[in-house]
């Protein structure tokens, strides 16, 4: 199925490099790379929901992986099939071998497939133990 979405300032259609629209033919528009323990239940879920509300088909590992599926091959395939990878760099992102494997694949796809990459750098400053605050 082919759909057209607005993704201003990031992508353009094959027919016009000045157009803010993209014609999609892959499974996902956006792949979210994040450290689950750091951001899964706060920033990442908010970003994911914003994408979904705006009709952007987004891969988030806890929503897309099927039971019994091998995790790493499925993640790498999702990265390869996405149009954009959005990396959420958090405090412990680089301490995860999973995140580093994803990052390597994202960078390879950027080079070989001209995949678009967007990133966010988050630093947590907790006011109390139940209310994390994020600054960019």
């Amino acid at each position: 199925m082919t759909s057209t979405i607005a993704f201003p300032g990031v992508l353009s259609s094959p027919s016009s490099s000045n157009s803010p629209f993209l014609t999609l033919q892959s499974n996902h528009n956006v792949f979210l790379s994040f450290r689950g323990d750091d951001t899964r239940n706060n920033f990442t879920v908010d970003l994911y929901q914003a994408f979904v509300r705006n009709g952007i088909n987004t891969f988030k590992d806890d929503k897309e992986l099927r039971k019994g599926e091998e995790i790493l091959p499925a993640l790498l395939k999702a990265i390869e099939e996405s149009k954009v990878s959005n990396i959420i760099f958090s405090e412990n992102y680089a301490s995860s071998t999973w995140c580093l494997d994803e990052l390597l694949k994202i960078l390879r796809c950027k080079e070989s497939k001209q995949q678009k990459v967007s990133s966010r750098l988050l630093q947590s400053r907790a006011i109390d133990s139940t209310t994390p605050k994020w600054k960019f």
Side-chain angles (χ1 to χ4, degrees):
M1 183 169 123
T2 301
S3 62
T4 302
I5 62 157
F7 218 96
V10 178
L11 303 171
S12 61
S13 73
S15 60
S16 170
S17 61
N18 295 327
S19 171
F21 299 96
L22 170 69
T23 300
L24 299 167
Q25 295 183 5
S26 68
N27 294 335
H28 298 94
N29 304 355
V30 177
F31 177 89
L32 293 178
S33 177
F34 60 95
R35 175 64 189 235
D37 292 345
D38 290 349
T39 69
R40 179 183 311 279
N41 295 316
N42 43 54
F43 182 84
T44 300
V45 75
D46 292 341
L47 182 61
Y48 175 80
Q49 290 171 352
F51 281 146
V52 170
R53 270 193 313 274
N54 286 286
I56 300 170
N57 188 2
T58 305
F59 183 96
K60 183 172 170 266
D61 63 6
D62 63 340
K63 299 288 183 192
E64 300 294 330
L65 292 177
R66 291 164 182 75
K67 188 172 183 168
E69 192 171 17
E70 287 189 55
I71 295 172
L72 187 58
L75 289 174
L76 299 180
K77 181 178 182 202
I79 292 167
E80 193 167 299
E81 293 179 349
S82 295
K83 296 295 181 185
V84 177
S85 286
N86 192 313
I87 307 163
I88 303 167
F89 290 110
S90 59
E91 186 174 347
N92 297 303
Y93 182 92
S95 67
S96 165
T97 57
W98 289 101
C99 290
L100 295 177
D101 287 341
E102 288 177 12
L103 181 59
L104 181 60
K105 181 65 171 183
I106 289 167
L107 295 175
R108 286 182 175 155
C109 287
K110 180 182 179 203
E111 290 297 315
S112 67
K113 303 176 86 172
Q114 290 70 50
Q115 185 182 80
K116 303 296 182 184
V117 177
S118 175
S119 63
R120 307 284 181 272
L121 178 60
L122 301 178
Q123 181 179 5
S124 175
R125 294 184 322 150
I127 291 176
D128 64 52
S129 62
T130 60
T131 310
K133 296 294 179 187
W134 300 97
K135 68 178 185 180
F136 295 85

